[in-house]
Every structure is written in structure tokens, then in C-alpha cells.
Amino acid sequence: MEKDLIFMKRALELAQRAAKVEEVPVGAVVVSPEGKILGEGFNQPVHLKDPSAHAEILALREAAQKLGNYRLLGCTIYVTLEPCPMCAGALVYARLKRLVFGAHDPKSGACGSLYNLVQDPRLNHRLEVESGLLAEEAALLLRDFFRTRR
């Protein structure tokens, strides 16, 4: 879907901003059912001294503030990397409709790799999930980032 590409490219731009400030390059964008960007974020736990300052959490916070409600019904989140357990839980509780992510995270991914919290039938809400959109670009950002640190 063409709209998905546009929003994932924006998430990649945000991930690049994270890398420039020496944060793990992950970006996220929350989009309304009408196709309007409601929230954006990039990883900032080091800069903000906040372990919850992942791209997804920051984007969810901004979107919830704009809507005046923590429930982001009908919204889609675009993330460059598969969300971790903390972020996956937040996506469920925010009642997002859909998650689109780029690269899988075999070490801490909670949307299909290690766990699948966003589609667990034991929880009160499940998201539609699409993975692999611009995965190579997202994975390259991450590889380049970690290569310079090792």
C-alpha cells in the first residue's frame, strides 16, 4: 500500500535522527484512520534518562495528547523495528488497530519473533500486524549503528 510506504519512510527518517544523537535508530509514527500523523517518536532513553522513552512510547504519548484519549482506536503505528515487550503491551492497551513494522528483532521482538503479545488471544485486544516493510533499510541503519560501537 502506497500510504504505508510514505509513513514507514517517515519512521526511517526519525530513526536516522535517533542515530545522530547516538541512540539506537528506531522511529515510530502513529497515524489516524483518516491518514493524518498524530504522533511521532524516535528512541531517546539515554538522552531523556528514561527507560520507557522508546520510539513507540513517545509516538503513542503524542498521539494520545492530540486526541485527548489514551485509546487510539482505528489508528496504525509504523515502526522501523519490531516492538519489544514493553512497547507491544502499550500498543495493546492503546487499542491500536494495526501495527506495521520493518525489521524483525530476534533478540527482543514481541510481535512474532520471541513473543506475540499484540495478537495473544488471552489479552482483551489484538492488532493486525504486517512486517517486513522497508526491512532492509531499517536493518541497515541498525547494523551500521552497532558496527560503529563494537
Side-chain angles (χ1 to χ4, degrees), residues 108-140:
S108 65
C111 302
S113 290
L114 290 180
Y115 311 101
N116 195 355
L117 294 176
V118 296
Q119 293 182 323
D120 190 319
R122 297 169 294 181
L123 298 177
N124 64 341
H125 180 76
R126 284 168 289 294
L127 283 75
E128 298 169 18
V129 178
E130 295 176 40
S131 63
L133 185 62
L134 300 180
E136 275 304 309
E137 292 87 336
L140 180 61

Short mmCIF file of all heavy atoms in Angstrom, two decimals, residues 108-140:
data_model
loop_
_atom_site.label_atom_id
_atom_site.label_comp_id
_atom_site.label_asym_id
_atom_site.label_seq_id
_atom_site.Cartn_x
_atom_site.Cartn_y
_atom_site.Cartn_z
N SER A 108 14.64 -9.42 21.00
CA SER A 108 13.64 -8.93 21.95
C SER A 108 12.29 -8.59 21.31
O SER A 108 11.47 -7.92 21.92
CB SER A 108 14.18 -7.70 22.71
OG SER A 108 14.39 -6.63 21.82
N GLY A 109 12.05 -9.06 20.12
CA GLY A 109 10.79 -8.78 19.44
C GLY A 109 9.61 -9.47 20.08
O GLY A 109 9.64 -10.67 20.34
N ALA A 110 8.56 -8.71 20.33
CA ALA A 110 7.37 -9.25 20.99
C ALA A 110 6.14 -9.20 20.10
O ALA A 110 5.01 -9.18 20.58
CB ALA A 110 7.12 -8.50 22.29
N CYS A 111 6.37 -9.18 18.79
CA CYS A 111 5.27 -9.15 17.83
C CYS A 111 5.45 -10.24 16.78
O CYS A 111 5.18 -10.06 15.60
CB CYS A 111 5.18 -7.77 17.18
SG CYS A 111 4.95 -6.44 18.38
N GLY A 112 5.99 -11.37 17.25
CA GLY A 112 6.16 -12.51 16.35
C GLY A 112 7.49 -13.23 16.50
O GLY A 112 7.56 -14.43 16.27
N SER A 113 8.55 -12.53 16.89
CA SER A 113 9.86 -13.18 16.97
C SER A 113 10.02 -14.02 18.23
O SER A 113 10.15 -15.24 18.14
CB SER A 113 10.98 -12.15 16.87
OG SER A 113 11.04 -11.62 15.56
N LEU A 114 10.05 -13.39 19.40
CA LEU A 114 10.15 -14.14 20.67
C LEU A 114 8.78 -14.42 21.27
O LEU A 114 8.54 -15.48 21.84
CB LEU A 114 10.97 -13.36 21.69
CG LEU A 114 12.46 -13.24 21.45
CD1 LEU A 114 13.10 -12.43 22.56
CD2 LEU A 114 13.10 -14.60 21.34
N TYR A 115 7.93 -13.42 21.18
CA TYR A 115 6.55 -13.50 21.71
C TYR A 115 5.65 -12.91 20.64
O TYR A 115 6.12 -12.33 19.67
CB TYR A 115 6.40 -12.64 22.98
CG TYR A 115 7.45 -12.86 24.01
CD1 TYR A 115 8.51 -11.97 24.16
CD2 TYR A 115 7.39 -13.96 24.87
CE1 TYR A 115 9.48 -12.17 25.12
CE2 TYR A 115 8.37 -14.16 25.83
CZ TYR A 115 9.41 -13.26 25.95
OH TYR A 115 10.37 -13.46 26.89
N ASN A 116 4.36 -13.01 20.87
CA ASN A 116 3.42 -12.30 20.00
C ASN A 116 2.33 -11.69 20.88
O ASN A 116 1.17 -12.09 20.84
CB ASN A 116 2.82 -13.22 18.94
CG ASN A 116 2.15 -12.42 17.85
OD1 ASN A 116 2.05 -11.20 17.93
ND2 ASN A 116 1.68 -13.10 16.82
N LEU A 117 2.74 -10.71 21.68
CA LEU A 117 1.82 -10.07 22.62
C LEU A 117 0.67 -9.35 21.93
O LEU A 117 -0.44 -9.32 22.45
CB LEU A 117 2.57 -9.09 23.52
CG LEU A 117 3.57 -9.69 24.49
CD1 LEU A 117 4.30 -8.59 25.25
CD2 LEU A 117 2.89 -10.64 25.45
N VAL A 118 0.95 -8.79 20.76
CA VAL A 118 -0.08 -7.98 20.09
C VAL A 118 -1.19 -8.81 19.46
O VAL A 118 -2.21 -8.27 19.04
CB VAL A 118 0.53 -7.02 19.04
CG1 VAL A 118 1.44 -5.99 19.71
CG2 VAL A 118 1.26 -7.78 17.96
N GLN A 119 -1.00 -10.13 19.43
CA GLN A 119 -2.04 -11.00 18.89
C GLN A 119 -2.39 -12.15 19.84
O GLN A 119 -3.00 -13.12 19.45
CB GLN A 119 -1.63 -11.55 17.52
CG GLN A 119 -1.54 -10.46 16.47
CD GLN A 119 -1.18 -10.98 15.11
OE1 GLN A 119 -0.38 -11.89 14.96
NE2 GLN A 119 -1.78 -10.39 14.09
N ASP A 120 -2.03 -11.99 21.10
CA ASP A 120 -2.28 -13.04 22.09
C ASP A 120 -3.78 -13.09 22.39
O ASP A 120 -4.36 -12.11 22.86
CB ASP A 120 -1.49 -12.74 23.36
CG ASP A 120 -1.50 -13.90 24.35
OD1 ASP A 120 -2.56 -14.54 24.52
OD2 ASP A 120 -0.45 -14.16 24.94
N PRO A 121 -4.43 -14.23 22.15
CA PRO A 121 -5.87 -14.32 22.37
C PRO A 121 -6.27 -14.21 23.84
O PRO A 121 -7.45 -13.99 24.14
CB PRO A 121 -6.24 -15.70 21.81
CG PRO A 121 -4.96 -16.47 21.81
CD PRO A 121 -3.86 -15.47 21.64
N ARG A 122 -5.31 -14.32 24.76
CA ARG A 122 -5.63 -14.18 26.18
C ARG A 122 -5.80 -12.73 26.60
O ARG A 122 -6.35 -12.45 27.66
CB ARG A 122 -4.54 -14.85 27.03
CG ARG A 122 -4.45 -16.36 26.79
CD ARG A 122 -3.22 -16.94 27.41
NE ARG A 122 -2.04 -16.41 26.72
CZ ARG A 122 -0.79 -16.73 27.03
NH1 ARG A 122 -0.54 -17.57 28.00
NH2 ARG A 122 0.22 -16.22 26.35
N LEU A 123 -5.34 -11.80 25.78
CA LEU A 123 -5.48 -10.37 26.09
C LEU A 123 -6.81 -9.85 25.54
O LEU A 123 -7.43 -10.47 24.68
CB LEU A 123 -4.30 -9.59 25.53
CG LEU A 123 -2.93 -9.98 26.11
CD1 LEU A 123 -1.82 -9.19 25.43
CD2 LEU A 123 -2.91 -9.78 27.60
N ASN A 124 -7.19 -8.68 26.02
CA ASN A 124 -8.51 -8.13 25.66
C ASN A 124 -8.53 -7.41 24.32
O ASN A 124 -9.58 -6.93 23.90
CB ASN A 124 -9.01 -7.19 26.76
CG ASN A 124 -8.12 -5.99 26.92
OD1 ASN A 124 -6.96 -5.98 26.50
ND2 ASN A 124 -8.65 -4.95 27.55
N HIS A 125 -7.40 -7.30 23.64
CA HIS A 125 -7.35 -6.62 22.35
C HIS A 125 -6.22 -7.22 21.53
O HIS A 125 -5.19 -7.62 22.07
CB HIS A 125 -7.12 -5.11 22.56
CG HIS A 125 -7.05 -4.35 21.27
ND1 HIS A 125 -8.16 -4.04 20.53
CD2 HIS A 125 -5.99 -3.84 20.59
CE1 HIS A 125 -7.78 -3.36 19.44
NE2 HIS A 125 -6.48 -3.23 19.47
N ARG A 126 -6.41 -7.27 20.23
CA ARG A 126 -5.37 -7.76 19.32
C ARG A 126 -5.24 -6.79 18.15
O ARG A 126 -6.22 -6.18 17.72
CB ARG A 126 -5.71 -9.16 18.82
CG ARG A 126 -5.46 -10.22 19.88
CD ARG A 126 -6.05 -11.56 19.56
NE ARG A 126 -7.51 -11.65 19.63
CZ ARG A 126 -8.25 -11.52 20.74
NH1 ARG A 126 -7.67 -11.27 21.89
NH2 ARG A 126 -9.55 -11.63 20.71
N LEU A 127 -4.03 -6.68 17.62
CA LEU A 127 -3.76 -5.81 16.49
C LEU A 127 -3.54 -6.63 15.23
O LEU A 127 -3.07 -7.76 15.29
CB LEU A 127 -2.46 -5.01 16.72
CG LEU A 127 -2.50 -3.82 17.65
CD1 LEU A 127 -2.56 -4.23 19.09
CD2 LEU A 127 -1.29 -2.95 17.41
N GLU A 128 -3.86 -6.02 14.10
CA GLU A 128 -3.44 -6.57 12.82
C GLU A 128 -1.95 -6.25 12.71
O GLU A 128 -1.52 -5.17 13.09
CB GLU A 128 -4.18 -5.88 11.67
CG GLU A 128 -5.67 -6.05 11.69
CD GLU A 128 -6.37 -5.13 10.69
OE1 GLU A 128 -5.70 -4.61 9.76
OE2 GLU A 128 -7.57 -4.92 10.86
N VAL A 129 -1.16 -7.19 12.18
CA VAL A 129 0.28 -6.98 12.09
C VAL A 129 0.76 -7.26 10.67
O VAL A 129 0.41 -8.27 10.07
CB VAL A 129 1.05 -7.90 13.06
CG1 VAL A 129 2.56 -7.71 12.92
CG2 VAL A 129 0.62 -7.65 14.50
N GLU A 130 1.56 -6.32 10.17
CA GLU A 130 2.26 -6.51 8.90
C GLU A 130 3.72 -6.23 9.16
O GLU A 130 4.07 -5.22 9.78
CB GLU A 130 1.71 -5.56 7.85
CG GLU A 130 0.25 -5.86 7.49
CD GLU A 130 -0.33 -4.87 6.51
OE1 GLU A 130 0.39 -4.48 5.57
OE2 GLU A 130 -1.48 -4.49 6.71
N SER A 131 4.58 -7.12 8.70
CA SER A 131 6.01 -6.95 8.95
C SER A 131 6.79 -6.98 7.64
O SER A 131 6.28 -7.43 6.62
CB SER A 131 6.52 -8.05 9.87
OG SER A 131 6.37 -9.31 9.25
N GLY A 132 8.01 -6.46 7.71
CA GLY A 132 8.91 -6.53 6.57
C GLY A 132 8.92 -5.32 5.66
O GLY A 132 9.70 -5.28 4.71
N LEU A 133 8.10 -4.31 5.94
CA LEU A 133 8.07 -3.12 5.08
C LEU A 133 9.34 -2.31 5.28
O LEU A 133 9.64 -1.87 6.39
CB LEU A 133 6.83 -2.28 5.38
CG LEU A 133 6.60 -1.07 4.48
CD1 LEU A 133 6.40 -1.51 3.03
CD2 LEU A 133 5.41 -0.26 4.95
N LEU A 134 10.10 -2.15 4.23
CA LEU A 134 11.40 -1.46 4.25
C LEU A 134 12.33 -2.07 5.30
O LEU A 134 13.13 -1.37 5.92
CB LEU A 134 11.22 0.05 4.46
CG LEU A 134 10.40 0.76 3.39
CD1 LEU A 134 10.28 2.25 3.70
CD2 LEU A 134 11.00 0.58 2.00
N ALA A 135 12.23 -3.37 5.47
CA ALA A 135 13.02 -4.08 6.48
C ALA A 135 14.52 -3.96 6.23
O ALA A 135 15.29 -3.79 7.17
CB ALA A 135 12.62 -5.56 6.52
N GLU A 136 14.93 -4.03 4.99
CA GLU A 136 16.37 -3.93 4.69
C GLU A 136 16.93 -2.57 5.08
O GLU A 136 18.01 -2.49 5.66
CB GLU A 136 16.64 -4.20 3.20
CG GLU A 136 16.78 -5.66 2.88
CD GLU A 136 17.86 -6.35 3.72
OE1 GLU A 136 19.00 -5.85 3.79
OE2 GLU A 136 17.55 -7.39 4.32
N GLU A 137 16.19 -1.52 4.78
CA GLU A 137 16.64 -0.17 5.14
C GLU A 137 16.75 -0.03 6.65
O GLU A 137 17.71 0.54 7.17
CB GLU A 137 15.69 0.88 4.56
CG GLU A 137 15.71 0.98 3.05
CD GLU A 137 14.76 0.02 2.34
OE1 GLU A 137 14.40 -1.04 2.92
OE2 GLU A 137 14.39 0.33 1.20
N ALA A 138 15.75 -0.53 7.36
CA ALA A 138 15.75 -0.45 8.83
C ALA A 138 16.89 -1.28 9.41
O ALA A 138 17.59 -0.82 10.32
CB ALA A 138 14.41 -0.93 9.38
N ALA A 139 17.09 -2.47 8.89
CA ALA A 139 18.15 -3.34 9.39
C ALA A 139 19.53 -2.75 9.11
O ALA A 139 20.44 -2.84 9.94
CB ALA A 139 18.04 -4.73 8.76
N LEU A 140 19.70 -2.11 7.97
CA LEU A 140 20.97 -1.48 7.63
C LEU A 140 21.31 -0.35 8.61
O LEU A 140 22.44 -0.24 9.06
CB LEU A 140 20.94 -0.95 6.20
CG LEU A 140 22.21 -0.27 5.70
CD1 LEU A 140 23.39 -1.25 5.73
CD2 LEU A 140 22.01 0.28 4.30
#
